[in-house]
Amino acid sequence: MKHVDDPRYSAMLQRLFLCSRLWGVPWSPGTKMHLRFTRAISQSKFPVTRTPGKSFAHRSELKHAKRIVVKLGSAVVTRGDECGLALGRLASIVEQVAMLQNQGREMLIVTSGAVAFGKQRLRHEILLSQSVRQALHSGQNQLKDMSIPVLEARACAAAGQSGLMALYEAMFTQYSTCTAQILVTNLDFHDEQKRRNLNSTLHELLRMNIVPIINTNDAVVPPPVPNSDLQGVNVISIKDNDSLAARLAVEMRADLLIALSDVEGLYDSPPGTDDAKLIDIFYPGDQQSITFGSKSRVGIGGMEAKVKAALWALQGGTSVVIANGTDPKVTGHVITDIVDGKKVGTFFSEVKPAGPTVEQQADMARQGGRALASLLPEQVSPLHWGSYPEVTMGRLSQPLLKRLSLSSSKLNSLAIGLRQISASSRDSVGRVLRRTRVANNLDLEQITVPIGVLLIIFESRPDCLPQVSALAIASGNALLLKGGREAANTNQILHQLTQEALCIHGVKDAVQLVSTREEVEDLCRLDKMIDLIIPRGSSQLVREIQRAARGIPVLGHSEGICHVYVDVDASIDKAINIIRDSKCDYPAACNAMETLLVHRDLLRTPLFDQIIDMLRVEKVKIHAGPKFASYLTFSPSEVKSLRTEYGDFECCIEVVDSMQEAIDHIHKYGSAHTDVIVTENEETAEQFLQQLDSACVFWNASSRFSDGYRFGLGAEVGISTARIHARGPVGLEGLLTTKWVLRGDGHIVADFSEQGSMKYLHENIPVTLRPLTSPGYSASG
């Protein structure tokens, strides 16, 4: 088993044995508790620890945090209606902490809530202790208004702490996790002997894999007095649980402090204001950019105190994240998301990047895109990319090398496509689609306009960057590009060439290359900055983006399960060539054949034999569909699923009884990408073309023709299988939407009422050429 020699393993065994005795749970090899523990140990990773005294520079490094302090504010622990503890919220937090603990991390909790919980308990006790006679004689309305004396905070803390700890202990017990309570005051840190004792106690608990739960001893703590705290690493006054958590994090050399409150993080101004923006990463020295609200707070929860404590902990070498622990949509995974490096809350970092953040890039792209959309068609049609040498790669696998390389032939095809886009751009943006005379002197036009800000996420194909950039420029859209790491240098050079072309008209910012360590899931959360996401890559990438996108439309396809149906009237030569090209030209492409459907009457004919021989020569592994397997005595391996995208030299062969059965099969198992019929019967072919509901349907042609360049679009941003305005290979037209322009002369709706003086005409009028009157409008229609 893993980690058998690790001292923590022995400590965890001792702790669980002790807990089993206390709880009366059997603990011996083979029991459920023992098996659960050994399985958790065998799967744990014991993360790599950072350099002591140095905080993590990037969110992605938080996954290596080993010792973590989780601070829970009063608003997180207690319910908003002041009627008890937030049990569901606490249960979610406990589950996450226990899960991280079982991964081999060392978890500490700094909790608030004792005073609030005690106050509620004492209020109930006072009400219950009032005489029944007084309650009966007072009447219901007066009972509601019964006065409650002002409760002293220390008494509330004494009454609430025991119940709060009992709840934590019961919850952690469900995950076979032991806890220990520690109450401290400011004096415990200033007295050297007490500080050493506290440090030793905490280290011993962590060594035994026990979760310490720490709170200020509010039953005896004196009220805070002004002092010069927060001025250095060794000085901090424990005024509240924010400063307590910061002091403990530094004292214990914690890797990460997670401070949960009832706000999403740190805003540049009070969250209630219209222009307030959540700060993703906060750097020391940025305090001047923050406008704290009344009483030195940003929002609820004493944000200024949190920021001071966070910066103090950061100075001491502990990374800090302030996040929302009360939102029901994220509470169940907020802690684990932070540890996974996801963009949650505000991350405090001492390393400030040289370039802009992705949020700033998105804003720059939108501003640049608006300027780009206002240019005249002839200004954006010439795309000067300059010269670019052939790129060669080092030690890479052949498939990856093929995707990454930019050979002379690839660059030549790329140049041809860009010229096609340039030529077609003149008649696209600002084109008048429809004109209607609504009433006299009231004309309505529907014109084409850019979508807005596009996010294109692509993998290891650097030729994608100039293609989608050209389409975005020609359609007037702003663009955020996120490429694969394998082609980072190539993408950077191609992006520089793109910006050189845009610099001519002062719109360089319209196309941005995301070079920061942004995860795809984090980019998909920018729903207020991005209007459309287009993934270019594997089906797995597309599915991940479709799952991660929150409120942003995704244009693409998750699978490319393409079919070729060989009809009974098919030509032998055509069938052989089309199948070979569809499967073998580039099997990893989304438009490659994955399933071959064969008419039943072709079995045991020369045509079928030649198809099988050709596939064997091409070293294509064949999987038999259920019906095809039933015809064979010795069949190839039967397919596990008829809905499989192999992406390699593999395919499924299935038998159908008719063209209609082939259509039904494709509708059931296909992905509405590209499907082909091979037949010499024109009537059969036309029925197939009309009835099949796929983005691309071909007759006697390879499925590999499903491509923007081959369709004459110049290039494509992707292939869409969605049933929206853009379907199949998406070129320039697919990146445009429409807006309505109404030109009147003081018209008001009241004039068109029953008592009004005007009537609607709604007459279609011809779309005619008219002189350009403003930028962004084409003179053609």
Side-chain angles (χ1 to χ4, degrees):
M1 187 200 301
K2 289 183 181 179
H3 316 302
V4 170
D5 297 328
D6 195 294
R8 286 168 294 187
Y9 177 75
S10 300
M12 291 167 75
L13 279 174
Q14 296 173 16
R15 180 196 62 122
L16 280 173
F17 179 74
L18 174 63
C19 290
S20 69
R21 296 288 300 274
L22 293 173
W23 301 330
V25 179
W27 172 259
S28 60
T31 61
K32 287 184 178 179
M33 186 174 179
H34 185 273
L35 291 173
R36 179 177 179 182
F37 167 72
T38 54
R39 183 164 55 248
I41 290 298
S42 65
Q43 294 174 351
S44 65
K45 298 178 180 179
F46 292 120
V48 179
T49 309
R50 62 172 171 80
T51 304
K54 185 177 181 181
S55 62
F56 294 122
H58 306 283
R59 282 184 184 270
S60 59
E61 297 172 347
L62 296 181
K63 62 186 68 173
H64 300 305
K66 178 178 176 293
R67 184 171 292 171
I68 302 172
V69 176
V70 178
K71 182 264 174 180
L72 308 178
S74 296
V76 176
V77 175
T78 58
R79 289 170 47 171
D81 59 2
E82 297 187 358
C83 293
L85 297 177
L87 298 180
R89 191 184 302 149
L90 276 178
S92 297
I93 291 171
V94 166
E95 181 180 20
Q96 294 171 79
V97 171
M99 185 177 74
L100 293 172
Q101 181 86 354
N102 289 332
Q103 289 178 359
R105 305 177 198 267
E106 298 174 341
M107 306 297 296
L108 299 92
I109 293 179
V110 175
T111 182
S112 301
V115 174
F117 187 34
K119 179 180 179 182
Q120 291 154 16
R121 292 184 66 182
L122 292 179
R123 283 167 61 97
H124 284 293
E125 185 65 27
I126 291 172
L127 288 172
L128 290 173
S129 64
Q130 305 224 16
S131 68
V132 177
R133 182 179 302 170
Q134 179 184 357
L136 292 174
H137 286 285
S138 298
Q140 187 65 27
N141 292 333
Q142 294 181 13
L143 184 62
K144 288 182 180 180
D145 298 331
M146 190 178 295
S147 61
I148 302 294
V150 176
L151 300 175
E152 207 273 332
R154 295 190 184 92
C156 292
Q161 184 62 42
S162 59
L164 182 64
M165 189 61 203
L167 179 63
Y168 277 121
E169 190 169 338
M171 286 183 170
F172 274 106
T173 299
Q174 304 302 313
Y175 301 96
S176 303
T177 302
C178 281
T179 59
Q181 175 182 247
I182 296 180
L183 299 177
V184 296
T185 68
N186 199 21
L187 297 176
D188 296 322
F189 291 96
H190 290 284
D191 184 278
E192 187 62 24
Q193 184 60 49
K194 289 182 178 180
R195 188 182 67 81
R196 284 199 301 267
N197 291 344
L198 174 62
N199 189 295
S200 175
T201 300
L202 289 172
H203 276 92
E204 181 65 14
L205 292 172
L206 294 177
R207 188 188 69 80
M208 297 181 63
N209 205 36
I210 294 175
V211 177
I213 298 179
I214 305 108
N215 196 357
T216 51
N217 191 353
D218 294 321
V220 299
V221 68
V225 294
N227 54 37
S228 57
D229 64 333
L230 299 165
Q231 297 300 316
V233 174
N234 298 320
V235 180
I236 183 172
S237 177
I238 307 303
K239 294 182 176 182
D240 50 34
N241 277 339
D242 291 312
S243 52
L244 170 61
R247 178 62 193 255
L248 278 171
V250 174
E251 182 75 25
M252 296 299 296
R253 295 186 178 180
D255 302 305
L256 173 62
L257 166 60
I258 300 175
L260 297 181
S261 65
D262 55 355
V263 289
E264 282 68 21
L266 177 61
Y267 286 80
D268 58 358
S269 57
T273 58
D274 293 336
D275 298 329
K277 292 182 180 178
L278 180 66
I279 298 173
D280 172 40
I281 305 178
F282 188 79
Y283 307 97
D286 283 356
Q287 293 93 320
Q288 289 75 17
S289 64
I290 305 299
T291 303
F292 290 100
S294 58
K295 298 182 181 180
S296 299
R297 293 171 180 242
V298 172
I300 311 164
M303 187 57 72
E304 187 173 18
K306 288 180 174 60
V307 171
K308 288 183 178 180
L311 290 174
W312 190 89
L314 187 68
Q315 184 183 0
T318 298
S319 297
V320 183
V321 175
I322 296 177
N324 192 334
T326 63
D327 186 349
K329 295 180 181 179
V330 300
T331 300
H333 47 81
V334 60
I335 298 174
T336 52
D337 280 353
I338 291 171
V339 176
D340 286 341
K342 295 180 180 178
K343 188 175 287 189
V344 178
T346 300
F347 172 62
F348 286 71
S349 174
E350 290 189 303
V351 180
K352 197 164 188 175
T357 65
V358 69
E359 290 83 3
Q360 292 170 330
Q361 283 188 292
D363 187 60
M364 292 162 61
R366 185 175 294 280
Q367 299 302 323
R370 286 169 177 164
L372 176 65
S374 68
L375 297 178
L376 299 176
E378 56 268 23
Q379 290 178 292
V380 296
S381 60
L383 300 175
H384 305 292
W385 298 95
S387 59
Y388 188 66
E390 183 172 331
V391 177
T392 57
M393 305 295 169
R395 297 179 180 178
L396 298 171
S397 65
Q398 284 300 317
L400 181 58
L401 180 63
K402 186 176 180 181
R403 291 193 295 270
L404 286 174
S405 62
L406 277 177
S407 61
S408 298
S409 60
K410 273 189 179 181
L411 288 172
N412 185 54
S413 299
L414 179 61
I416 295 172
L418 296 184
R419 283 192 286 269
Q420 290 176 345
I421 296 171
S422 178
S424 62
S425 67
R426 296 175 179 272
D427 300 325
S428 299
V429 183
R431 186 173 71 252
V432 180
L433 300 177
R434 177 188 307 173
R435 295 186 69 197
T436 303
R437 180 145 294 154
V438 179
N440 289 331
N441 296 324
L442 186 64
D443 290 351
L444 178 67
E445 286 183 346
Q446 183 186 18
I447 62 173
T448 56
V449 294
I451 291 174
V453 178
L454 312 178
L455 170 61
I456 311 292
I457 301 173
F458 58 101
E459 292 181 320
S460 53
R461 294 185 183 278
D463 53 330
C464 175
L465 191 150
Q467 288 174 341
V468 298
S469 295
L471 287 168
I473 293 170
S475 59
N477 284 289
L479 188 61
L480 275 179
L481 293 158
K482 173 68 173 176
R485 297 192 188 102
E486 309 92 339
N489 294 332
T490 308
N491 288 334
Q492 188 173 10
I493 294 174
L494 290 172
H495 178 245
Q496 290 173 356
L497 294 173
T498 307
Q499 291 199 312
E500 288 177 12
L502 293 170
C503 273
I504 299 173
H505 300 291
V507 289
K508 183 178 88 168
D509 291 340
V511 177
Q512 297 283 329
L513 179 65
V514 178
S515 56
T516 55
R517 298 190 182 189
E518 299 293 336
E519 298 294 333
V520 168
E521 187 171 341
D522 293 330
L523 292 172
C524 292
R525 292 176 177 173
L526 302 177
D527 56 300
K528 295 181 180 179
M529 300 180 174
I530 295 170
D531 300 298
L532 179 66
I533 301 176
I534 304 176
R536 288 281 301 268
S538 64
S539 57
Q540 180 182 356
L541 172 71
V542 179
R543 284 194 295 269
E544 288 176 356
I545 292 173
Q546 289 173 333
R547 283 195 297 265
R550 301 181 179 183
I552 309 176
V554 178
L555 188 148
H557 66 282
S558 59
E559 295 173 305
I561 305 176
C562 303
H563 296 72
V564 173
Y565 165 58
V566 182
D567 185 56
V568 68
D569 297 320
S571 161
I572 293 180
D573 292 339
K574 291 179 183 178
I576 295 295
N577 291 332
I578 289 171
I579 294 170
R580 179 190 290 112
D581 192 74
S582 296
K583 179 72 258 183
C584 306
D585 176 64
Y586 186 24
C590 63
N591 56 13
M593 181 194 80
E594 304 293 3
T595 299
L596 174 63
L597 300 177
V598 180
H599 194 283
R600 180 187 59 186
D601 294 345
L602 293 177
L603 293 178
R604 301 184 180 88
T605 65
L607 171 58
F608 184 75
D609 293 340
Q610 289 185 44
I611 291 174
I612 298 299
D613 291 342
M614 180 272 295
L615 291 174
R616 285 174 177 167
V617 170
E618 297 290 344
K619 298 182 180 180
V620 176
K621 183 178 180 179
I622 297 173
H623 303 274
K627 198 169 182 180
F628 178 43
S630 67
Y631 284 94
L632 306 174
T633 305
F634 301 100
S635 66
S637 61
E638 187 168 340
V639 68
K640 295 181 180 179
S641 171
L642 289 168
R643 189 181 175 88
T644 301
E645 183 178 14
Y646 297 100
D648 204 344
F649 284 93
E650 297 181 66
C651 74
C652 168
I653 297 181
E654 183 59 308
V655 174
V656 292
D657 294 338
S658 64
M659 180 270 294
Q660 188 59 51
E661 187 177 331
I663 292 176
D664 295 340
H665 178 101
I666 295 171
H667 283 162
K668 184 174 182 179
Y669 299 107
S671 58
H673 190 294
T674 302
D675 299 290
V676 177
I677 183 172
V678 183
T679 184
E680 296 302 301
N681 188 314
E682 183 176 354
E683 182 179 351
T684 301
E686 288 300 330
Q687 291 181 18
F688 185 89
L689 298 176
Q690 294 297 322
Q691 294 181 32
L692 190 62
D693 184 20
S694 294
C696 299
V697 188
F698 299 164
W699 173 22
N700 286 346
S702 168
S703 62
R704 293 278 290 123
F705 278 106
S706 180
D707 177 83
Y709 174 77
R710 293 167 188 145
F711 279 9
L713 305 178
E716 66 185 39
V717 293
I719 292 181
S720 170
T721 55
R723 287 163 177 82
I724 56 176
H725 76 289
R727 200 173 184 211
V730 179
L732 189 59
E733 295 291 333
L735 298 181
L736 297 171
T737 184
T738 63
K739 75 175 180 181
W740 299 85
V741 177
L742 189 66
R743 293 182 173 88
D745 186 22
H747 292 79
I748 59 173
V749 171
D751 290 338
F752 293 85
S753 64
E754 291 184 4
Q755 294 78 25
S757 59
M758 302 190 70
K759 301 293 182 184
Y760 288 110
L761 297 176
H762 293 141
E763 296 177 349
N764 290 331
I765 53 180
V767 177
T768 57
L769 294 174
R770 59 178 174 78
L772 288 171
T773 56
S774 62
Y777 284 82
S778 171
S780 59

